[in-house]
Amino acid sequence: MKRELNFDHKHPILYLIATPIGNMKELSPRAIEIIKAMDYIVAEDTRVSGKLLAHHQIKKPFISCHEHNETVAAKEVVRLLKDGKQVAYMSDAGMPCISDPGYILVKECILNDINISPVSGPNAALDALIASGLDTAHFYFHGFLSAKTSVRKEELRHLYLKSETLIFYEAPHRILKTLKDMLEILGKRKAVIAREVTKLHEEFIRGNLEELVKLEQATLKGEMVIIVEGHNNEQEKFMEPKDIISLVQNLENMGMSTKDAIKKASDLLNLPKRDVYNLYHRAN
Ligand code: SAM
């Protein structure tokens, strides 16, 4: 697990600047301030971003990073950031990484111990998602889970098979309980807590649910978004017997008959139906 306080000046930061989807006046004052402080602006289309910067009377050296050169450009951006240069990325319009380039760049930065800081403002879910390093191509926003444990678990069971990246809001006094329920029902998936986004103590905590449940409550203050990897078949490969039983129960809770749940589980696990059947019926 990695905890990254973005503004403690210990690691370089790649800023992800959300730009107006239409009206150029909607670039935020903070975005303008950050752009002015940068050594380089990495842009999907340097002509489009050049116009936006010109509108705000800013001139900066550009690096081009679009869908056809993102892997190579990402390496150059990492080199510049490691060299102590200040760098921000913007796509043509709107949020980077949302049906726009940026995801490969973000992943390469995270791999190289470079922090990611979203600069957007109005929406915590998207800010958290684009800086999470988890898949941004398809996602599902759930918002707050129920405060009632039984209902919360039921909601999570319904989400078990969703392949989209899952986005949740949570209050600090409930975060550990929720993470524990997520571990129990969703399994040991990759997950990221985005805390106090755009504020002084902005932090991204990256790991998997088994690691995140071990966090100290006292260190989880403020506002938080939880981003969890969607379902994929890899997740079932290393399941223990108790997790296999819980998988069948999850599927039953999604409305399947026991017979169908055992068949679906055996398909997901690539295990003979008989083995799943025996495990399940021994436990029930
Ligand atoms: N309308 C807001 C939006 O678009 O993101 C959400 C409002 S909701 C009542 C408040 C929840 O959003 C918080 O409990 C937290 O989960 C999330 N949130 C709001 N600001 C946040 C921030 N700066 N960092 C992390 N999460 C935040």
Side-chain angles (χ1 to χ4, degrees):
M1 179 175 55
K2 245 166 65 178
R3 294 193 74 153
E4 299 158 13
L5 272 172
N6 272 348
F7 306 131
D8 65 357
H9 307 293
K10 289 198 180 138
H11 295 277
I13 298 179
L14 174 75
Y15 291 97
L16 298 177
I17 313 259
T19 56
I21 49 170
N23 193 321
M24 289 205 212
K25 289 184 196 156
E26 286 186 0
L27 189 65
S28 76
R30 178 166 177 254
I32 293 173
E33 194 182 296
I34 289 174
I35 293 168
K36 283 185 175 162
M38 294 296 107
D39 296 306
Y40 294 95
I41 301 298
V42 185
E44 181 184 4
D45 185 328
T46 57
R47 281 164 311 174
V48 173
S49 298
K51 279 187 198 151
L52 178 68
L53 266 56
H55 179 87
H56 293 279
Q57 284 105 44
I58 309 171
K59 217 171 167 336
K60 286 285 163 185
F62 278 111
I63 294 167
S64 164
C65 175
H66 46 74
E67 65 173 320
H68 303 295
N69 77 342
E70 192 172 347
T71 306
V72 178
K75 300 217 181 299
E76 173 63 3
V77 172
V78 166
R79 189 187 67 74
L80 288 169
L81 283 159
K82 291 210 151 180
D83 237 31
K85 298 286 187 277
Q86 301 253 63
V87 185
Y89 173 71
M90 58 179 70
S91 57
D92 286 357
M95 304 286 290
C97 311
I98 304 294
S99 294
D100 263 347
Y103 175 60
I104 294 173
L105 177 60
V106 167
K107 280 215 312 190
E108 187 68 19
C109 285
I110 293 171
L111 266 178
N112 284 280
D113 282 332
I114 289 162
N115 292 359
I116 309 294
S117 187
V119 182
S120 146
N123 179 251
L126 285 181
D127 272 8
L129 175 70
I130 64 170
S132 70
L134 300 183
D135 186 18
T136 55
H138 304 283
F139 54 89
Y140 168 82
F141 175 71
H142 193 85
F144 288 100
L145 289 157
S146 169
K148 222 172 141 200
T149 308
S150 58
V151 182
R152 190 165 60 237
K153 287 190 177 181
E154 188 68 26
E155 284 177 79
L156 287 167
R157 286 191 187 104
H158 275 96
L159 300 177
Y160 183 83
L161 282 180
K162 272 200 171 300
S163 58
E164 296 88 354
T165 303
L166 308 172
I167 309 176
F168 303 92
Y169 284 167
E170 194 47 286
H173 64 278
R174 248 196 322 264
I175 186 114
L176 283 181
K177 268 197 208 153
T178 295
L179 288 168
K180 279 183 190 134
D181 292 344
M182 285 177 171
L183 175 63
E184 180 189 322
I185 289 160
L186 303 177
K188 194 176 151 184
R189 296 190 190 182
K190 283 188 203 158
V192 176
I193 298 175
R195 191 172 74 84
E196 292 286 89
V197 178
T198 75
K199 302 189 211 172
L200 182 64
H201 299 293
E202 177 176 285
E203 180 179 38
F204 285 84
I205 310 173
R206 305 175 196 281
N208 61 49
L209 288 169
E210 196 173 58
E211 293 165 332
L212 296 186
V213 295
K214 294 184 188 134
L215 287 163
E216 301 260 340
Q217 175 73 59
T219 67
L220 295 173
K221 295 203 173 104
E223 302 203 90
M224 280 169 277
V225 181
I226 309 170
I227 311 279
V228 184
E229 174 184 48
H231 176 266
N232 66 56
N233 290 338
E234 288 298 296
Q235 285 153 2
E236 273 104 15
K237 271 199 179 152
F238 306 104
M239 272 194 171
E240 293 171 20
K242 70 171 174 30
D243 300 322
I244 296 175
I245 294 160
S246 145
L247 169 63
V248 177
Q249 284 163 346
N250 283 347
L251 296 168
E252 281 182 316
N253 280 310
M254 290 168 74
M256 288 187 198
S257 67
T258 304
K259 190 171 163 227
D260 288 347
I262 288 172
K263 163 133 192 11
K264 179 77 184 167
S266 68
D267 289 347
L268 287 166
L269 296 161
N270 209 7
L271 279 176
K273 225 168 47 185
R274 193 183 349 100
D275 292 358
V276 180
Y277 178 93
N278 288 340
L279 254 177
Y280 181 77
H281 282 286
R282 236 179 278 143
N284 284 279

